Amino acid sequence: MAGELTCGIIGCGVIAPAHIQGYQAIPGVRVTWACDLIEEKARQRAAEYGIAHVTRDYREVLGNVDCISVCTDHGSHAKITADALRAGTHVLCEKALAATPAGLRMMFEAHARYPYPIFAAVFQHRFDAEIRYLKELVNEGAFGTILTAGMQMRCLRTEEYYRADKWRGTWDKEGGAVLINQAIHFIDALAWIMGGIEAVQGTYTNLTHNGVIEAEDTAVAMVRFRCGALGTIEATCSSNIDWEPTIAIHGSRGAVELRHGKPTKIEFENEEVAARVRDGFAACAVPSSVRSAIRSYYGEGHSAQIADFVDAVRHHREPFVTARSARHAVEVVFGIYESHRTRKWVEITSAV
Ligand SMILES: NC(=O)c1ccc[n+]([C@@H]2O[C@H](COP(=O)([O-])OP(=O)(O)OC[C@H]3O[C@@H](n4cnc5c(N)ncnc54)[C@H](O)[C@@H]3O)[C@@H](O)[C@H]2O)c1
């Protein structure tokens, strides 16, 4: 079949099925390799999804497939991605792109030297209809002058969660904790909707996970957006609420708040605009049949994102979420960590 593609999954843990199912839903796409340092995990995924080849060494996969999904801990993303780009393999890398600024640099230096392969990064919430619609409203100026915009991530990650996988909550393998893992989805969404963050100043602490994780379980930051508006980032994984993301935009002519991606506030000075916006959000409702089969809070975006990545590879075009653009949210998170240590504002130079 024209456009037939083979894919390898590197890292066969929690998120791997979202990728495998995404690829297997596309005609002409086959997942041919399952790779995990723990061979048993790769074997298990291979058996579940009918994947022909299994290995512990991702380098064996690189010469044998068109593209890979990198689904390992954050600390290993950079080396796997750089090796793949060097081998001419297209890469879809899970968030967060890297655990350290040095890891990020390694990836982008490799892509600068080997620009042919497509290099895409997962931020599946950019495919959520409500997030896209909110961005459209910002772009058309519906809010007037945007004054403040912010995100909150309140969730619960227990001691058992962190103890189950040794990389979680460490600086070298995860690159942090709640900011770089859970909050980053909505830091990215907020930055993308608003057209980018210019500078951050923040602080973090560990309130309920002392002796469990090295990094933060609670963090806040002030934000200066490129458009001039100010904002806030607030995140905790010590809440009694399992998962609650909020994004709010407040302008001189109106305000919208999304909680769990659904509008909880739509207020505009002009009632016709308010009615149009209410209708716009109502039209975003997604049928439940396409919701993530893995965990509901991953959202509906993985299958859309993988379909876009495959199309980008087939037509050799830019993916909807380029790694270049996904770098921005990672740099915002690194900026908050740096600002905590230096007690200074940190400029963010990358574009979203
Ligand atoms: N987009 C989302 O909604 C979402 C949700 C969950 C996880 N994730 C991301 O997916 C990635 C993996 O998370 P997870 O929860 O599946 O982790 P996990 O710990 O369940 O799985 C990671 C797997 O990678 C394997 N691994 C590590 N280094 C490897 C290497 N060099 N070669 C081969 N295998 C290797 C580990 O043995 C492990 O089985 C992370 O980047 C995480 O942030 C994204």
Side-chain angles (χ1 to χ4, degrees):
M1 177 190 295
E4 187 154 320
L5 280 186
T6 53
C7 308
I9 305 295
I10 316 298
C12 291
V14 173
I15 202 59
H19 287 252
I20 300 169
Q21 290 167 18
Y23 289 120
Q24 289 186 336
I26 304 169
V29 178
R30 285 183 304 129
V31 179
T32 51
W33 283 83
C35 169
D36 200 291
L37 285 178
I38 303 168
E39 194 170 322
E40 183 48 32
K41 289 176 86 168
R43 288 208 177 284
Q44 211 174 318
R45 293 294 181 218
E48 268 172 81
Y49 292 101
I51 301 169
H53 306 285
V54 166
T55 180
R56 295 178 64 232
D57 185 349
Y58 68 86
R59 289 167 303 181
E60 199 182 342
V61 181
L62 300 183
N64 286 309
V65 294
D66 299 299
C67 51
I68 58 164
S69 277
V70 181
C71 301
T72 60
D73 58 86
H74 304 164
S76 57
H77 289 178
K79 175 88 170 72
I80 297 171
T81 298
D83 286 348
L85 296 173
R86 200 173 301 123
T89 308
H90 306 289
V91 174
L92 175 61
C93 182
E94 263 295 349
K95 49 53 69 174
L97 273 177
T100 60
L104 262 190
R105 279 195 300 277
M106 183 202 282
M107 293 170 128
F108 286 95
E109 279 164 19
H111 201 216
R113 285 189 70 187
Y114 304 99
Y116 176 78
I118 304 291
F119 182 17
V122 175
F123 271 133
Q124 77 269 22
H125 292 290
R126 288 203 205 176
F127 290 82
D128 294 355
E130 290 84 354
I131 297 286
R132 289 185 185 213
Y133 184 55
L134 191 52
K135 183 170 173 60
E136 258 176 60
L137 291 174
V138 167
N139 289 351
E140 74 177 45
F143 293 97
T145 301
I146 299 184
L147 311 166
T148 58
M151 62 72 58
Q152 295 167 334
M153 163 48 62
R154 290 163 178 163
C155 64
L156 176 61
R157 290 296 177 269
T158 60
E159 181 168 345
E160 294 71 50
Y161 166 88
Y162 284 112
R163 294 223 188 272
D165 296 299
K166 297 244 173 303
W167 64 276
R168 299 189 195 277
T170 61
W171 289 112
D172 63 333
K173 293 203 162 52
E174 184 158 11
V178 67
L179 279 175
I180 201 160
N181 194 322
Q182 289 79 29
I184 198 167
H185 284 290
F186 303 95
I187 293 173
D188 176 73
L190 178 69
W192 184 61
I193 288 165
M194 292 292 290
I197 289 174
E198 189 175 83
V200 286
Q201 180 164 30
T203 187
Y204 60 80
T205 185
N206 182 336
L207 292 173
T208 68
H209 294 80
N210 275 306
V212 179
I213 59 175
E214 296 169 359
E216 83 291 351
D217 63 16
T218 303
V220 292
M222 301 185 284
V223 169
R224 247 186 11 241
F225 292 99
R226 287 198 192 288
C227 66
L230 302 179
T232 52
I233 287 171
E234 179 198 311
T236 182
C237 61
S238 300
S239 174
N240 67 340
I241 300 166
D242 185 44
W243 183 262
E244 187 184 77
T246 308
I247 289 183
I249 296 190
H250 197 116
S252 56
R253 296 208 173 129
V256 167
E257 287 181 17
L258 301 183
R259 184 166 299 173
H260 291 292
K262 304 294 168 213
T264 48
K265 176 196 274 241
I266 298 174
E267 277 184 27
F268 285 85
E269 66 179 14
N270 179 320
E271 187 41 43
E272 271 175 37
V273 176
R276 176 171 67 81
V277 171
R278 276 194 294 273
D279 289 349
F281 278 112
C284 292
V286 176
S288 58
S289 59
V290 300
R291 285 187 185 278
S292 169
I294 320 288
R295 288 201 185 132
S296 61
Y297 55 72
Y298 292 171
E300 295 82 33
H302 264 103
S303 52
Q305 172 132 36
I306 287 163
D308 174 75
F309 172 62
V310 164
D311 190 68
V313 168
R314 281 178 165 158
H315 297 98
H316 211 264
R317 63 156 171 86
E318 288 248 296
F320 187 64
V321 187
T322 60
R324 203 172 53 249
S325 150
R327 179 179 192 160
H328 187 71
V330 189
E331 290 192 338
V332 169
V333 168
F334 291 159
I336 298 171
Y337 294 142
E338 184 186 331
S339 143
H340 172 87
R341 290 166 195 143
T342 60
R343 296 173 183 255
K344 295 198 167 111
W345 280 88
V346 174
E347 307 290 324
I348 309 299
T349 51
S350 55
V352 68

